[in-house]
Amino acid sequence: MNEGRKEIFQVVFVLTGIVFLVKLFFIQLLDDRYVQLADSNSIMKEIEYPSRGLIFDRNSKLLVYNSPEYDLHIVTKEVVNFDSARFCEVFDITQQELKQRFVELKKLKEYSPYRPTVFIKQLSNYDFAKIQERLDEFTGFYIQPRTTRAYTTDALANVLGYVSEISKNQLDRDSLKLYRQGDYIGQSGIEARYEAVLRGQRGVRYKLRNVKGIEKGSFKDGDYDTLSVPGKNLMTTIDLDLQQYGEYLMAGKVGSVVALEPATGEILSIVSGPSYDPSMLTGRKFSSNFMLISSDTTKPLFTRPLMAMYPPGSIFKIVQSLIGLEEGVLSYDTRFPCDRSLVNCHGHPNPTNLHGAIQYSCNPYFHQAFRRIINQSKSPNTFTDSRIGLDNWREYVKRFGLGAPLGVDLPSEKGGQMPTSNLYNRIYGEGRWKYSTIYSLSIGQGEMLVTPLQMANMAAIMANKGYYYTPHLVKVIEGSDIDSRYRTRNETGIDSAYFSFVQDAMSDAIYGTAQRAIIPGIELCGKTGTAQNPHGHDHSVFMAFAPKDNPKIAIAVYVENAGWGGRSAASIASLMIERYLNGEIKRKHLEAYVLKGDFLDPVVRATPTPTVQQIVPVDME
Amino acid sequence: MRREEAISNKMDWVTVLIYMVMVLLGWFNIFAAVYDETANQSIFDLSLNSGRQLMFIAASAIIIVAILIVDMRFYEAAAFLIYGIVVFLLVLVPLIGKEVGGNKAWLGIGSFGVQPSEFAKFATALVVAKIIGTVGFRMDRLRNQVILFGIILVPIALTLLQKDFGTALVFTAFLLVFFREGMSPFLLIIGMAMAVIAILTLIVDNQWYLHGGIVVLALVIVFFGKRTVKRILTIGVGAIIIIGTIESFDYVINNVLPVRHKKRLEALVNPDFDPMGINWNVTQSKIAIGSGGFSGKGFLKGTQTKFDFVPEQSTDFIFCTIGEEHGWLGSLVVVGLFITLLLRIVFLAERQKNRFARVYGYSVASIFFFHFAVNIGMTVGLFPVIGIPLPFFSYGGSALWSFTILLFILLKLDAHRSQMLGRL
């Protein structure tokens, strides 16, 4: 048994040895490639970092660019006669810090005494100029240039976002291995959303070096080298002048301003207050500044135009009017008495038609009008009828871009909330709610939330008489088109004649509730609102567009805790429109009034009332 | 006293001499791999790998004496006990082990650490030899084969848990031992066929081409042979099994294997694949070896190996230093030493009078062969990069001791082979 198997072992052993020797013969004696390679001794890999794409405003004004910064690398084997006192003096660090650096260096996973390893990160241009001429005192230290983000403006921080070193988590998720430890990556705003476009492509160069580390040209004539491809530039839709003016007006206030170009959905200006200076989050001070900003109780990192959600308040009456007209349950002549037993109201001619109801923002009118929209006697059961009515209404509301994120090209946009019958089924049980349960919706209160961006979009829909383009921030990506969804028209499906009617009412409403908004020579359409705030003073809301005949700008303004919409929000919106359309401000007194930021009545200010006023609306317009 | 005299007289001094030459050459090369001409270093410097390796060598001498003193019957008697202890240690490693170089394979006591997986090699060899050496053992019994496979699967599974793919593979070397002791070559042939299929799966991007080829091949075989139902069925089932194998390889490669191993496999079948990325080690290793020419650059004169270009310079890639500094001649000497050692071990195994010792001898030969073939194969670019040491040359205490124990237990058994005569 098993005869010959011993011989198989012997043959296999000897054959393996022969195969190795033949292979070695080939690479050691026949192939002279390796000798040549070894003559120039060794291949070094050099990473070439691409420059990140630049960001411009709509008038080609530069917003974000790259500025050089410098990493100090060390090759420990080459360090001789190291004068630590001198080093500390030149690099402005303490002996203690220096010692710590060395300890940390040796702990690095990729540390090797023969290869350059980062020793001090992110020296600024200024630091570099200081140390440049003294660098040759320290053998074994090298400067590796990189770039960091720099800003031409202190505005727009929330929208532009910031760039920082890639986190451990992000590295783990990077399955395509596009990034390495220490690489920069966009963390929020446009920098994050357009990361793939902005980052460009890293290049690699293989260089030959001899024993003494002196370069001997490129490996295989650079056949394996890849050039770095710079990131693409972006042109945003932002009007920098208007943006800066908006931030100037909002200084010291909490809230949002969003201005759109109605014909395209391009965002002209998007102000989130309070904000921060974007250049705080660059360079060596990044970590300490980030701590500072993120622990600020006013939450400067919170992008309010996209993420804050408020009840729309009276502004929503316009939507109710349009749905009522389209459904045929309201007509221009429909009149309801101003019955204050239903909801509170304020003095105005009574009874009024639909035009008057919008103009004077009559609460009881819309209480009754919304009942007609919800209860159309589609079912004899009033509970079922309410459900059918609400579902139908919800379909309309959706087409106004409400109740779900619009899809703006920024991360973490919120969708607000528009109630569905499911929501009420969950709260009250199926078949256990009817119109009297949900009537607060009629005047934009109750289980209803919108973002400032959605409100601005609403203004654009009014301006366009029934359609909108999804709001977006990037107009041109160098060399490619923007997403087709930003070039697609979204229809509300409501007759444009009804919008003309509503526009007239909004134009007259200015004279009723927001006289501060009147701009001589520009016909403005607008609607004030007051977002109820159970935690303090109400929020001031205003939405508008202008000019009425050929709308160039649609705007929504939210100022938190600033009382009713006719004062602060309407003033800010009006100034923004004047600045955009006329290029200058003639109403200096109004500007001064806004900058002073003192909007509340003395009486109201004296009694800060954090009373919880749910559902029962006390709309003050 | 009588036994000690007997030992020195009966020892196989040829093997001992080869062992000593290899360990010594290994020590010099480890020094060469870390040598820095500007630093005025000494080969005995304990802060260098070479200095520590010398300590490991000294410890090996103690281990050798211990092995020779212990009664030769101990190794057969205690086989299961040793195996049990090693398995226990292997189980402990993932729980309390420390991580070195991406593998959690070390058990440490203070700054001193050992790799239990290294010692699993001789423990497994002892148990395999003991089982096969049992009176009346027949390799053609399915039950026996299952037991043997179980014995080698335990350390394979446990080393895989430590993500030490290379060491886990070493245990497949026992298949050679089973083959020597009567296992049908069929299994080895199937293994080879699997390897061919695996390589084809890697080379051909779209496995539907492979499936198509197999179906066509099966049809051709059916067409040109006797068209009996049984034959068609056999061919059909065979084709389906092969297609299934391809699919499962594809699955394993894409979903189970760590990306780095997958890339190494791809790099092997396609030498032009990513020469600056995954093939970096091999590219640098080949430059080092290739630049050695016929007689090399001379001891400590190598330039390639100084700058850390080849990772694991003194452990897994130690052969680069030999190739660079001693050229083809030096490689010839080292390869020659290994082949001589392997043939000598086969010779020793064959002259044993009892089956336990013979099987053990073949286990040693197979394990050494596996390490030799895979390690040098990888440094010259014939094998994927699988991190296993070159016996007696690579830096490292656990590995050196493990190989020393393997070899000297065999020498001990061989020295007493006449005493075992009666136990055939």
Side-chain angles (χ1 to χ4, degrees), chain B residues 54 73 133 162 269 353 386 404:
Chain B
L54 187 62
R73 277 173 288 266
Q162 305 164 8
V269 293
K353 304 286 190 260
I386 294 165
T404 303

Side-chain angles (χ1 to χ4, degrees), chain A residues 580-592:
Chain A
Y580 185 65
L581 296 180
N582 292 347
E584 56 170 346
I585 298 296
K586 289 225 171 79
R587 295 172 294 158
K588 292 291 179 194
H589 60 283
L590 185 64
E591 195 177 51

Side-chain angles (χ1 to χ4, degrees), chain A residues 91-107:
Chain A
F91 287 88
D92 196 20
I93 56 174
T94 63
Q95 287 276 3
Q96 194 58 40
E97 282 172 324
L98 181 67
K99 249 181 222 158
Q100 187 59 29
R101 287 270 149 76
F102 274 111
V103 171
E104 281 165 18
L105 182 74
K106 301 258 159 85
K107 278 192 208 145

Side-chain angles (χ1 to χ4, degrees), chain B residues 185-357:
Chain B
F186 191 59
L187 258 177
L188 282 179
I189 291 169
I190 285 186
M192 302 270 193
M194 289 282 192
V196 171
I197 291 172
I199 289 168
L200 280 175
T201 315
L202 278 168
I203 294 174
V204 183
D205 278 337
N206 186 341
Q207 68 264 36
W208 290 106
Y209 289 126
L210 280 183
H211 298 339
I214 287 154
V215 170
V216 169
L217 196 69
L219 288 177
V220 168
I221 296 169
V222 168
F223 188 78
F224 284 103
K226 268 190 283 179
R227 265 164 274 171
T228 61
V229 176
K230 190 181 165 196
R231 189 161 172 278
I232 293 173
L233 265 180
T234 316
I235 293 167
V237 170
I240 289 168
I241 289 174
I242 294 172
I243 288 173
T245 316
I246 292 170
E247 279 297 324
S248 43
F249 267 126
D250 206 55
Y251 180 80
V252 168
I253 288 165
N254 288 318
N255 300 305
V256 179
L257 226 51
V259 177
R260 63 187 169 124
H261 288 313
K262 181 189 166 190
K263 285 196 167 168
R264 282 173 187 177
L265 284 172
E266 272 173 24
L268 179 73
V269 293
N270 180 7
D272 294 330
F273 176 86
D274 198 11
M276 290 298 137
I278 193 68
N279 261 347
W280 175 260
N281 292 4
V282 177
T283 306
Q284 295 290 358
S285 158
K286 276 157 106 179
I287 291 173
I289 296 174
S291 67
F294 182 68
S295 56
K297 299 172 183 166
F299 183 53
L300 302 183
K301 297 277 168 39
T303 51
Q304 285 302 297
T305 51
K306 295 292 174 279
F307 273 101
D308 271 2
F309 286 111
V310 184
E312 322 292 340
Q313 184 61 57
S314 50
T315 54
D316 296 345
F317 278 91
I318 190 72
F319 192 72
C320 295
T321 314
I322 298 163
E324 186 185 9
E325 298 196 342
H326 307 288
W328 191 77
L329 275 182
S331 309
L332 177 70
V333 168
V334 172
V335 171
L337 277 171
F338 268 103
I339 300 304
T340 316
L341 178 68
L342 288 170
L343 293 177
R344 185 74 193 174
I345 294 172
V346 168
F347 168 77
L348 293 182
E350 286 292 338
R351 78 178 180 189
Q352 298 308 307
K353 304 286 190 260
N354 109 337
R355 203 173 177 190
F356 167 77

Side-chain angles (χ1 to χ4, degrees), chain A residues 2 5-6 9 12-13 16 20-21 23-25 27-29 34 38 41-43 77 112 206 211 219 224, chain B residues 176 179-183 185 275-276 286 289-291 293 304 307-309 323 328 332 339 350 369 373 380:
Chain A
N2 305 335
R5 296 205 171 173
K6 175 186 109 185
F9 271 76
V12 167
F13 290 171
T16 310
F20 284 164
L21 289 173
K23 173 79 184 179
L24 284 162
F25 192 78
I27 55 179
Q28 293 186 307
L29 295 171
Y34 298 108
N41 193 336
S42 39
I43 311 172
K77 274 283 157 187
S112 152
Y206 295 96
V211 195
F219 174 61
Y224 293 106
Chain B
L176 297 173
F179 164 72
R180 168 63 186 84
E181 292 304 315
M183 189 181 69
M276 290 298 137
K286 276 157 106 179
I289 296 174
S291 67
Q304 285 302 297
F307 273 101
D308 271 2
F309 286 111
W328 191 77
L332 177 70
I339 300 304
E350 286 292 338
F369 173 69
V380 300

